[in-house]
Amino acid sequence: MAAANMKSVKLRIKSIQNTMQITKAMELVASSKLRRAKEKAEASAPYFSSLRQTLINIAAENTDYTSVYARENKSERHCYILIAGDRGMAGGYNANLFRAFEAESKGKNFSVLPLGKKAQDYVSQKKLERVEAENIPVASVRISDCFALARMLCRKFREGEFGHVSLFYTSFVSLMKQEPGSSTMLPIADFKSEVCGKEGEEKKQAQNLILYEPSAEEVYDAIVPEYLAGLLYSAVSSSLASEYAARRTAMEAATDNAAEMIDKLSLYYNRARQASITQEITEIVGGAEGSNG
């Protein structure tokens, strides 16, 4: 009976060791992908910042804000671009995102444009109205895809199908901290406060030094889709980095738990083995004493 129990423990130890090898490998893969995702996000930052600064400079001249993208339209409908992961095994990464999204969208009239397999599954499961677009795994999203999506969203905003367009994604703060939240894409009202906060002299310099052809408004409207594509690409890169960081943390914890379980089972196995040896010695000694008597 003891031998059968020891064999069962040994098989369990072997099984946990195999699982630990998998979780360790997944941890290393996530670490490697996290580094590349962070580099991609950092590489896109200068382009994104340049477009943003150009919009601010043009807005300094466009004081009446005649651009269609800078003012609200009559529609009260929201469009959320929901960026989640393509796979699980990342702790509470996807669950936390969906929980925060439900709190944000509660009571609103909205449609969802999901990016990532988990986001698509969530929209289907909840039977939410979705914006028709190509199903693209979030890890495969390219800058060209972001341009196509940005142009499509701008067109729907101009036509009045949506009055608000927002990103909902997980922002990468650090290896141990990722925060789900939203960011407004349209209308671009945040530039108003930035422009209004500038000194009059700076506005005058912007007007005097820059000449836009054919007009500031047309250049502004042409740049907005480019800016939104950069914003979307930045959000995708941040989401990917967050997913890999969450998966790395989860797999590291799983590996540590597996090692702890192996230590406990090894201790139990050694104790059972020692007890079995002691029992065998006792039976041998008892038999020898019986034969001598």
Side-chain angles (χ1 to χ4, degrees), residues 144-157:
S144 57
D145 299 319
C146 294
F147 280 123
L149 290 173
R151 286 191 289 267
M152 181 265 290
L153 292 170
C154 286
R155 175 176 54 79
K156 289 181 179 292
F157 182 81

Side-chain angles (χ1 to χ4, degrees), residues 163-181:
H164 305 272
V165 180
S166 300
L167 275 169
F168 210 96
Y169 67 103
T170 304
S171 177
F172 179 82
V173 180
S174 67
L175 186 61
M176 301 302 296
K177 186 178 181 182
Q178 301 87 41
E179 295 180 345

Side-chain angles (χ1 to χ4, degrees), residues 85-235:
D86 293 319
R87 296 184 299 154
M89 305 293 284
Y93 169 75
N94 291 305
N96 292 338
L97 177 73
F98 297 146
R99 196 179 302 115
F101 172 72
E102 288 172 3
E104 171 77 16
S105 60
K106 186 176 182 181
K108 294 180 180 177
N109 181 16
F110 67 92
S111 297
V112 182
L113 196 164
L115 287 180
K117 189 176 184 305
K118 291 297 180 182
Q120 293 161 15
D121 293 344
Y122 172 81
V123 170
S124 299
Q125 180 185 356
K126 295 291 183 179
K127 295 181 171 56
L128 302 176
E129 184 174 335
R130 63 177 292 171
V131 179
E132 290 303 322
E134 183 181 356
N135 291 335
I136 308 172
V138 71
S140 303
V141 173
R142 299 167 297 179
I143 188 65
S144 57
D145 299 319
C146 294
F147 280 123
L149 290 173
R151 286 191 289 267
M152 181 265 290
L153 292 170
C154 286
R155 175 176 54 79
K156 289 181 179 292
F157 182 81
R158 289 195 309 270
E159 294 171 353
E161 186 172 338
F162 302 119
H164 305 272
V165 180
S166 300
L167 275 169
F168 210 96
Y169 67 103
T170 304
S171 177
F172 179 82
V173 180
S174 67
L175 186 61
M176 301 302 296
K177 186 178 181 182
Q178 301 87 41
E179 295 180 345
S182 62
S183 175
T184 300
M185 294 180 73
L186 292 172
I188 306 180
D190 59 332
F191 291 129
K192 288 186 179 181
S193 59
E194 293 191 41
V195 171
C196 292
K198 291 176 176 288
E199 295 294 333
E201 185 177 344
E202 290 180 292
K203 288 185 181 180
K204 187 176 180 180
Q205 287 178 354
Q207 293 172 346
N208 291 338
L209 295 177
I210 303 175
L211 178 64
Y212 298 101
E213 292 289 347
S215 68
E217 183 182 341
E218 291 185 51
V219 173
Y220 187 93
D221 289 348
I223 290 178
V224 166
E226 307 275 330
Y227 168 73
L228 296 184
L231 189 64
L232 180 56
Y233 187 73
S234 178

